[in-house]
Structures are given as structure tokens and as C-alpha cells.
Amino acid sequence: MATALFRKQETNPLTWSITDDPEVFRSEAGSFLAARPDLHTMLLSGLETIEQLRSGGRNPPTVLGWWREPEEAATTAAFVWTPPHLLAASRLSRVAATRLAEFLSIQAHPFTQLLAGSASVGAFCEAWRTTTGSAPKNGPHLRLHRLERLVRPDGSATGAAGARQREPARTRYETPSGRPGPWLSDRGNTHDERVRRSR
């Protein structure tokens, strides 16, 4: 069951809701994350990894949080954290970033890295400096490229790849002499099999 582990003041309703249960997190923040998977790739990937580990009998340290503005029913921010690894967060308002910094500063697990958009990171760094007195260091800037739309490959060669598709891949399986390696003498069928498996 989800519990709010942090509340700065009883009179202040602005707080993160926290759980270590992926199922509860999905019920509270899943729709928010799924609405913009392009912006929430790291959170969705992290959540899926946690679920896969748990299905295999492992139980990694897990801290999952979602944020709702006062008088708002919908989730407007979220984060996924598996200490001691980095924390992936969605876009954060300044208030949400401040409360997150305050929450993380009192956790038993050491917080080391935040992955979020530039504006969110900037707001969080300012809040972290105010809360802890220490200045965070800037990490590498990452850029996620995405397709505007998905385009299915030409379906004219279903099952086995055609000769035109085979030829560019053929050289990948050849030795420097231009001959196929002994382990891939049937390289055409090998390529066809890989194409079938990728569909």
C-alpha cells in the first residue's frame, strides 16, 4: 500500500506520495507516464526493469514517487529510483523539485544522481543547495532522439529477405579475404533467420 513517507509540515499539503510497490505506482502514475512515453522513456524502462527483477525473485531497493498539485486529481510528476543508482524524474515544477530535494536529503539511501530535463535539474540543484548546503556537480548532457512516426518496413519480402536486402548484410559475415567464415558458410539462410526473428 502506498504511503506518503515525507511531509515537511502538517499544514503544508504539498508532498510526494511514495511507495516501493510497482503495482501501486502504476495505478497512481501509470497513465501520466504512458501519456507521453517519449518524455518518460527512462522512467518506464526503470519501472519495467524493477518488475522483471521482482518476477525473477529479486527485490532491489525501490523508491517510486508521484506528485499532485493542490486540488488536482491527476498526477503531474513522477520519479523512479533504485538506490544507489540514478533517480529518473519527469518534468518537475519548482515546488515539486524543492520537496523532492528535501525528501531525498533525509533518506537512508545516499542520493547521487538525477536524470531529468534541464529546467527540472536546474530547479532541483538550487533546492538541493538550499536544503543541504552542498553544491551538486553537473553531469553529461544527454539527448534522446525519437522518430516522428513509426514506419513499417516494406512487406514485399515476407519470411525470407530478398536478394537486395541480403547483399548489404552479406559482408558482415565475411572474413577479410572476402570469403565467408567457416562458421557462417550458409550466410544467406543465417540472415533470413535473423530477419524472421526480428519481425
Side-chain angles (χ1 to χ4, degrees):
M1 182 175 181
T3 56
L5 299 184
F6 172 70
R7 187 178 298 276
K8 187 179 181 183
Q9 297 177 354
E10 290 302 320
T11 57
N12 190 343
L14 300 178
T15 184
W16 285 90
S17 297
I18 308 296
T19 185
D20 62 357
D21 187 335
E23 185 176 348
V24 171
F25 181 72
R26 278 197 182 275
S27 69
E28 299 292 342
S31 296
F32 166 73
L33 297 179
R36 289 298 304 270
D38 54 328
L39 297 179
H40 304 141
T41 299
M42 295 301 296
L43 286 87
L44 291 167
S45 297
L47 181 59
E48 184 176 349
T49 297
I50 294 169
E51 292 170 333
Q52 289 176 348
L53 290 173
R54 293 198 173 194
S55 66
R58 300 175 62 183
N59 190 26
T62 302
V63 185
L64 308 169
W66 64 95
W67 173 271
R68 289 172 182 156
E69 299 291 340
E71 302 179 0
E72 288 286 340
T75 295
T76 56
F79 71 81
V80 173
W81 185 31
T82 53
H85 304 295
L86 62 79
L87 182 152
S90 67
R91 289 177 177 171
L92 304 173
S93 67
R94 185 166 296 276
V95 176
T98 298
R99 294 292 178 263
L100 180 58
E102 292 170 345
F103 167 73
L104 294 172
S105 69
I106 62 174
Q107 295 307 296
H109 297 294
F111 166 73
T112 57
Q113 298 179 74
L114 171 68
L115 178 64
S118 297
S120 298
V121 169
F124 178 86
C125 287
E126 181 180 337
W128 184 261
R129 187 181 299 107
T130 300
T131 301
T132 67
S134 62
K137 297 180 180 179
N138 290 328
H141 289 260
L142 306 178
R143 181 182 296 275
L144 177 65
H145 297 275
R146 63 180 185 270
L147 298 173
E148 292 184 358
R149 60 190 180 93
L150 295 177
V151 179
R152 289 188 175 275
D154 182 4
S156 60
T158 58
R164 186 183 64 178
Q165 294 170 297
R166 284 184 186 178
E167 188 60 25
R170 179 178 62 82
T171 55
R172 298 181 185 177
Y173 308 119
E174 291 181 345
T175 62
S177 66
R179 297 178 180 177
W183 64 97
L184 284 176
S185 59
D186 192 11
R187 60 190 182 280
N189 288 338
T190 299
H191 179 61
D192 289 346
E193 177 61 24
R194 290 197 174 193
V195 171
R196 279 193 292 269
R197 289 165 56 186
S198 66
R199 291 183 183 275

